Amino acid sequence: MKVKILIMILSVVTLSICFFSVQQLAASYDTSKSYKIINRYSGKALEVYNWSTTNNGNIVQYDDLEGYNQQWRIVDIGQGYHKIVNQNSIKAMEVYNWQTTDGANIAQYADWNGLSQQWQINDLGNGYVSIINRFSGKALEVYEWSLSNGANVVQWDFHNGLNQQWQIVEVEPEETITVNETIVVKSGQTFDGEGKRYVANPDTLGDGGQAENQKSVFLIEDGATIKNVVLGHPAADGIHTYGDAVIQNVVWEDIGEDALTVKASGNVIIRGGMAQHGYDKMFQINAPSNVEIYNFTALDAGKMVRQVGGSTFHVSLKIEGSVIKEMNEAIFRTDSTTSSVIMANTRYSDVGSKWYNVKNVTENNNVAY
């Protein structure tokens, strides 16, 4: 009898150790990919309700309709945490108002680098994960085990219930399109790539190497927008802008010669998306411009932004709510004494000299990791 009791005790202890060990296994994700997040109990997808793009837009569950409000970018921010960014709104998932109580609401908000927007994703060893908020230490769950569309998503003490377990599923581009001639997005138009992958014909546009004078895959005229595009390899010379432009949720799987070049003066807004694997610069600025970059992920390049060498015109650069990692030389390099940068709410790691010859720098709430 004593032997049986001892065996039972050892079994319980062993199971407990295994359980807690599994909880500590961090999952990893490719920032260049889109993901949907499916609740194990209900089988429904995490979404921003009613396609909201505003701060405090509510996060709920709903049948998987494959909408962009149900797709998420999972960004490694270091120290074992991620931010989870909605592909439609380009806003980060957070616990509303820094609450630490069970049942506190989950919403979206502009990325301000707060702990309530940071999540530990733990592999449970069964094809599912738990998603734990850094600030509160509580788990993401569907409230009251609901099976209904529109049911609220909240935080709660982790109890390993099926309503706290999530499957993270990669959303592959539906199609890969070879571009033989530069696609021109006319003034006032919006080009929605609907998540398709576009690659350059190396014979007509360029092979994406470092040879100069390659052609762009997309040309964005003054006042035009491009969104929901994946640029694969080869990407030739990426995107060229001529005047005011909005670049939203564009991913460069491989930068090519440059990811984006500002060819003519304007206000260029880059919102969401990511770029990676560039030998030299990521964004090239060839004309006086205001360039604003929000909630962008920049990985593995010589520098993130380069004002054309030897130029003295003014460039105003703003970087906010972004993640920058593995820049060999700097985040921004310029030869102009008047150009300026404002960087806020951004996390960065291994960025060389950070600012190369930049004389006017303002920083707020940034974190080196």
Side-chain angles (χ1 to χ4, degrees):
M1 185 66 176
K2 290 181 178 178
V3 172
K4 288 183 178 180
I5 292 172
L6 179 60
I7 290 172
M8 289 175 67
I9 292 171
L10 288 173
S11 297
V12 170
V13 170
T14 301
L15 286 170
S16 299
I17 290 171
C18 290
F19 172 76
F20 286 111
S21 295
V22 166
Q23 286 307 105
Q24 294 173 0
L25 294 175
S28 61
Y29 299 93
D30 185 338
T31 306
S32 70
K33 308 296 184 183
S34 294
Y35 295 94
K36 54 186 176 182
I37 303 174
I38 308 297
N39 189 259
R40 183 175 186 180
Y41 183 69
S42 67
K44 296 184 185 295
L46 193 72
E47 74 163 37
V48 176
Y49 183 66
N50 204 28
W51 293 77
S52 173
T53 58
T54 62
N55 286 333
N56 299 321
N58 202 33
I59 293 177
V60 302
Q61 70 171 8
Y62 212 92
D63 289 337
D64 182 5
L65 303 176
E66 300 183 356
Y68 269 97
N69 64 329
Q70 295 182 331
Q71 294 183 29
W72 306 84
R73 194 169 309 286
I74 300 175
V75 182
D76 183 353
I77 59 170
Q79 300 171 316
Y81 293 92
H82 296 80
K83 64 176 179 177
I84 302 175
V85 179
N86 189 260
Q87 300 284 64
N88 179 60
S89 64
I90 318 297
K91 295 186 185 297
M93 184 170 75
E94 71 168 26
V95 176
Y96 178 69
N97 203 28
W98 290 78
Q99 294 182 68
T100 57
T101 56
D102 285 341
N105 199 46
I106 306 300
Q108 68 176 5
Y109 209 90
D111 185 355
W112 51 277
N113 210 10
L115 299 184
S116 61
Q117 294 182 328
Q118 299 175 21
W119 303 86
Q120 186 178 56
I121 304 176
N122 298 316
D123 188 346
L124 298 175
N126 57 0
Y128 295 88
V129 299
S130 63
I131 303 176
I132 309 296
N133 189 259
R134 185 175 189 176
F135 182 71
S136 66
K138 295 185 184 292
L140 191 74
E141 72 163 41
V142 175
Y143 185 58
E144 290 190 337
W145 297 73
S146 176
L147 297 172
S148 301
N149 283 332
N152 214 30
V153 174
V154 300
Q155 69 173 8
W156 207 275
D157 282 337
F158 181 69
H159 51 71
N160 203 28
L162 298 186
N163 67 328
Q164 292 187 332
Q165 297 183 30
W166 304 85
Q167 186 178 42
I168 298 181
V169 181
E170 181 181 335
V171 180
E172 288 275 4
E174 292 182 1
E175 184 180 359
T176 296
I177 298 169
T178 298
V179 180
N180 299 308
E181 183 178 350
T182 298
I183 298 169
V184 178
V185 185
K186 295 290 187 180
S187 180
Q189 293 183 348
T190 295
F191 181 93
D192 188 345
E194 299 178 338
K196 296 182 180 70
R197 179 185 288 115
Y198 293 80
V199 297
N201 181 335
D203 296 327
T204 58
L205 298 182
D207 63 5
Q210 289 304 299
E212 296 293 333
N213 300 317
Q214 295 184 61
K215 297 178 181 178
S216 62
V217 179
F218 290 94
L219 187 157
I220 314 301
E221 291 187 348
D222 185 27
T225 295
I226 183 172
K227 66 179 184 178
N228 303 327
V229 164
V230 177
L231 281 164
H233 177 76
D237 201 29
I239 295 175
H240 292 173
T241 66
Y242 288 82
D244 295 350
V246 175
I247 317 295
Q248 179 164 313
N249 194 33
V250 173
V251 168
W252 288 264
E253 293 179 325
D254 190 285
I255 288 171
E257 184 184 354
D258 299 323
L260 179 145
T261 303
V262 176
K263 289 284 194 175
S265 296
N267 297 308
V268 178
I269 298 174
I270 301 169
R271 185 183 297 118
M274 68 90 64
Q276 61 186 359
H277 308 323
Y279 177 79
D280 193 8
K281 65 272 186 197
M282 187 172 289
F283 301 135
Q284 170 87 8
I285 304 176
N286 289 351
S289 301
N290 296 314
V291 178
E292 300 179 12
I293 303 171
Y294 299 99
N295 216 329
F296 191 82
T297 302
L299 304 176
D300 181 29
K303 41 201 161 283
M304 183 179 179
V305 182
R306 173 65 161 124
Q307 181 173 338
V308 64
S311 63
T312 57
F313 57 75
H314 177 74
V315 168
S316 176
L317 174 64
K318 180 179 181 181
I319 303 170
E320 187 168 333
S322 296
V323 174
I324 306 167
K325 186 177 180 180
E326 296 175 6
M327 299 293 117
N328 291 332
E329 188 174 58
I331 296 175
F332 180 33
R333 176 174 176 173
T334 180
D335 297 325
S336 170
T337 58
T338 66
S339 290
S340 62
V341 61
I342 298 173
M343 188 167 79
N345 303 321
T346 290
R347 299 176 72 86
Y348 61 92
S349 174
D350 188 18
V351 293
S353 60
K354 192 176 179 183
W355 312 120
Y356 193 112
N357 202 39
V358 185
K359 306 301 183 184
N360 308 287
V361 177
T362 303
E363 294 194 56
N364 181 48
N365 196 36
N366 301 311
V367 175
Y369 68 97

